[in-house]
Amino acid sequence: MANWQDGPGTLHVGSHRIPLEVAASYRARTRGLLGRDGIDGAMLLTPAASVHTFRMRFAIDVAYLDRDLGVLAVVTMAPGRLGLPRLRSRHVLESAAGAMAGWGLRAGTIINVDVPGRLTRR
């Protein structure tokens, strides 16, 4: 899925429908979740192969996704950490720590994303 744009969307994980923010521009990816006290839903960084939590105020769950939005790995990162790049990762999904387990998101899961102006992957 090419030509991602910044903006809102919906993340589908099983029967869960989660508010999503897409950060596709360099500026939006660089800003990410910095300066926030939390997130309601998730943020998709694209393209991305790794993240950091320097200057973050809260712990996050991080899912590394391949080009087909398949989950390669899920980790929880405390503030002040540097995540190592993951081979084959093309996108990174971030949420509040513990949220992904509640959604049933784990390695091998295929996620779906709805964003205005894009075809839904099902």
Side-chain angles (χ1 to χ4, degrees):
M1 298 179 87
N3 301 322
W4 289 93
Q5 294 183 358
D6 297 342
T10 304
L11 171 66
H12 301 266
V13 180
S15 62
H16 297 276
R17 304 295 176 256
I18 301 125
L20 180 70
E21 296 176 51
V22 176
S25 68
Y26 176 78
R27 182 177 186 176
R29 288 191 319 269
T30 301
R31 184 177 55 244
L33 297 175
L34 294 176
R36 298 185 189 195
D37 292 322
I39 181 171
D40 181 32
M43 177 174 279
L44 179 69
L45 306 172
T46 182
S50 67
V51 296
H52 69 82
T53 58
F54 299 123
R55 298 186 304 144
M56 294 274 301
R57 297 179 182 168
F58 59 100
I60 60 172
D61 284 344
V62 177
Y64 296 90
L65 311 174
D66 64 19
R67 71 180 72 237
D68 297 320
L69 301 180
V71 178
L72 300 170
V74 178
V75 298
T76 300
M77 294 178 63
R81 305 288 185 207
L82 176 63
L84 296 175
R86 299 285 175 138
L87 292 176
R88 299 186 1 243
S89 179
R90 297 295 180 265
H91 318 277
V92 173
L93 186 68
E94 299 178 335
S95 66
M100 290 184 186
W103 304 332
L105 193 93
R106 59 186 165 277
T109 302
I110 303 292
I111 65 167
N112 295 300
V113 174
D114 284 334
V115 293
R118 288 188 72 89
L119 295 176
T120 303
R121 177 179 158 32
R122 292 261 191 262

